Amino acid sequence: MSGAGKKVADVSSCIAYDSVEIPKYVDNVTPEYKPKFDALLVELKEAEQKSLKESERLEKEIIDVQEISKKLSTMTADEYFEKHPELKKKLDDEIRNEYWGY
């Protein structure tokens, strides 16, 4: 555009843009979902702690199984029952009650 036409175009575009009103954004979503999100975060932390405890327990169990597998060929029943008294009690109860697994 040439000189005068460009000025007219600039003025008219400024007037058009100045007359446009942009509404202010009102966030109605965050207040509704923030408590739900916070509750999920708490649940996540609890699940994480539970998972860590279970992992720790399983790691100990793996170590026990590895020890037993190394000693299995030379281990006596008394040595095994020493580590697992609950199994000895269960077997003693079954023998006492004459329950042979049938």
Side-chain angles (χ1 to χ4, degrees), residues 38-98:
D38 291 342
L40 285 173
L41 283 178
V42 169
E43 189 177 327
L44 174 69
K45 290 290 184 186
E46 290 171 356
E48 179 185 30
Q49 291 302 316
K50 185 178 178 182
S51 175
L52 290 172
K53 286 180 183 179
E54 182 65 11
S55 293
E56 186 178 314
R57 184 191 70 77
L58 289 173
E59 286 173 6
K60 288 178 183 178
E61 189 173 325
I62 288 170
I63 291 170
D64 287 345
V65 168
Q66 288 173 338
E67 285 179 14
I68 289 173
S69 67
K70 288 178 187 175
K71 298 177 183 178
L72 193 59
S73 62
T74 60
M75 182 182 281
T76 65
D78 289 335
E79 290 172 336
Y80 185 81
F81 289 144
E82 198 174 290
K83 283 195 166 226
H84 304 280
E86 70 284 350
L87 185 59
K88 178 166 177 38
K89 182 184 179 324
K90 179 182 174 191
L91 290 175
D92 287 344
D93 289 345
E94 288 178 0
I95 292 169
R96 189 175 315 105
N97 295 326
E98 296 182 9

Side-chain angles (χ1 to χ4, degrees), residues 15-29:
I15 294 170
Y17 285 124
D18 289 342
S19 66
V20 174
E21 290 185 30
I22 300 174
K24 182 173 170 109
Y25 175 71
V26 178
D27 184 7
N28 295 324
V29 176

